[in-house]
């Protein structure tokens, strides 16, 4: 496999499910990733109302904290609206994704175009109003997009989106990066073990690629072994890749 010069390798770090429901967990994950990268190189994926139980509300302490992070340079992504999948899925492929790739959180996998576009626009409007600056892009919960969400992305005006395999500009269709995202799962012992195995195997592969992506979730903080694994994996990739902002991909 041909190697990419170190000066051209970029590492993109992100904390998912940012919102008042997981405030303490998000703080802990930002501190952990901050051991390896400046805080303005850690993207924050913001959920406007996680599972309909934790609304992001203007004027609250968490809203003030979120604006402070944005003022300090952190990129904010719209990360769905509810993060919960309430759709009825048709087609075997969609059913398998909904059942095996997430625990009922692939919100945008089964949405119609109209529903997806409304949630994208509403989420963007709310987050930008609180942050006082534009959002960086849109990333669907569980990185899952259905046909409706794909079509809506092209009309929502977001310049950056990502899934498990790539980052792209929805307004132009241009691929900005191709790489597998390294992440962890905490909802069962089997998934914990598979996550730990992937975190051992994937960093040596990522070191040859021009870009590497690592995403962490609030649930990771509940398993000490996952936190240790995240720390080690980020440290290993950090040796070959410089922390970067997603906006750098647009500039390139």
């Amino acid at each position: 496999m041909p190697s990419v010069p170190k000066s051209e390798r970029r590492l993109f770090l992100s904390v998912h499910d940012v919102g008042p429901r997981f405030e303490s967990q998000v703080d802990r994950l930002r501190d952990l990733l901050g051991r390896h990268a400046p805080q303005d190189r850690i993207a924050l994926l913001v959920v406007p109302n996680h599972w309909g139980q934790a609304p992001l509300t203007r004027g609250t302490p968490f809203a003030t904290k979120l604006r402070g992070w944005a003022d300090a340079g952190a990129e904010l992504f719209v990360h769905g609206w509810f993060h919960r999948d309430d759709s009825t899925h048709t087609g075997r492929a969609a059913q398998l994704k909904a059942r095996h790739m997430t625990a009922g959180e692939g919100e945008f996998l089964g949405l119609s175009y109209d529903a997806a576009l409304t949630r994208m626009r509403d989420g963007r409007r709310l987050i930008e109003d609180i942050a006082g600056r534009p959002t960086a892009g849109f990333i669907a919960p569980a990185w899952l997009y259905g046909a409706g969400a794909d079509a809506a992305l092209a009309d929502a005006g977001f310049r950056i989106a990502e899934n498990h395999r790539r980052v792209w500009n929805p307004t132009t269709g241009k691929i900005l990066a191709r790489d597998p995202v390294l992440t962890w799962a905490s909802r069962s012992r089997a998934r914990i073990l598979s996550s730990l195995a992937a975190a051992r195997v994937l960093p040596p592969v990522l070191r040859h690629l021009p870009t590497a992506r690592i995403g962490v979730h609030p649930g990771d903080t509940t398993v000490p072994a996952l936190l240790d694994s995240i720390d080690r994996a980020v440290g290993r990739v950090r040796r070959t890749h410089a922390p970067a902002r997603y906006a750098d991909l647009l500039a390139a």
Side-chain angles (χ1 to χ4, degrees):
M1 182 181 296
S3 181
V4 178
K6 184 175 181 180
S7 61
E8 300 177 12
R9 299 175 195 156
R10 294 171 175 161
L11 169 61
F12 300 97
L13 299 171
S14 59
V15 178
H16 291 229
D17 305 350
V18 174
R21 182 173 187 174
F22 299 117
E23 181 173 0
S24 63
Q25 295 94 324
V26 169
D27 287 341
R28 189 172 181 186
L29 291 170
R30 290 183 74 248
D31 289 343
L32 177 61
L33 296 181
R35 290 164 45 90
H36 306 280
Q39 292 288 352
D40 65 351
R41 298 296 189 272
I42 303 172
L44 304 176
L45 279 55
V46 184
V47 182
N49 188 1
H50 196 276
W51 281 60
Q53 300 168 356
L56 179 60
T57 306
R58 301 171 184 87
T60 60
F62 187 84
T64 300
K65 177 182 284 189
L66 187 65
R67 187 178 187 116
W69 290 336
D71 288 344
E75 291 178 299
L76 305 184
F77 282 82
V78 182
H79 192 42
W81 181 266
F82 293 119
H83 206 289
R84 181 182 61 208
D85 181 7
D86 290 326
S87 302
T88 299
H89 298 283
T90 58
R92 183 162 180 77
Q95 291 173 348
L96 288 173
K97 287 181 180 179
R99 183 178 306 120
H100 297 294
M101 296 182 69
T102 180
E105 297 198 319
E107 179 184 6
F108 280 73
L109 181 59
L111 291 181
S112 68
Y113 167 87
D114 290 336
L117 185 61
T118 296
R119 296 190 192 188
M120 288 176 185
R121 288 176 170 171
D122 287 350
R124 183 177 196 169
R125 187 180 303 113
L126 174 63
I127 294 168
E128 291 184 349
D129 182 50
I130 288 174
R133 63 191 64 242
T135 51
F138 178 87
I139 299 174
W143 291 287
L144 293 175
Y145 304 79
D150 282 335
L153 265 176
D155 295 330
F158 293 109
R159 299 179 68 200
I160 301 176
E162 74 169 18
N163 60 21
H164 287 93
R165 301 177 304 280
R166 62 188 174 96
V167 183
W168 74 98
N169 183 339
T171 64
T172 65
K174 180 180 179 181
I175 304 300
L176 304 176
R178 291 185 186 274
D179 58 64
V181 64
L182 175 58
T183 189
W184 289 258
S186 61
R187 66 179 183 267
S188 71
R189 176 172 173 77
R191 291 186 181 273
I192 290 171
L193 293 176
S194 65
S195 295
L196 294 175
R200 288 191 296 270
V201 172
L202 199 52
V205 176
L206 295 177
R207 71 184 181 187
H208 296 286
L209 302 178
T211 58
R213 289 179 294 144
I214 295 178
V216 297
H217 295 78
D220 299 336
T221 65
T222 65
V223 183
L226 293 184
L227 292 176
D228 290 341
S229 176
I230 291 168
D231 194 32
R232 288 193 301 271
V234 176
R236 291 176 70 186
V237 179
R238 179 67 179 84
R239 296 172 196 160
T240 56
H241 290 65
R245 296 167 58 81
Y246 278 83
D248 295 340
L249 292 170
L250 296 172

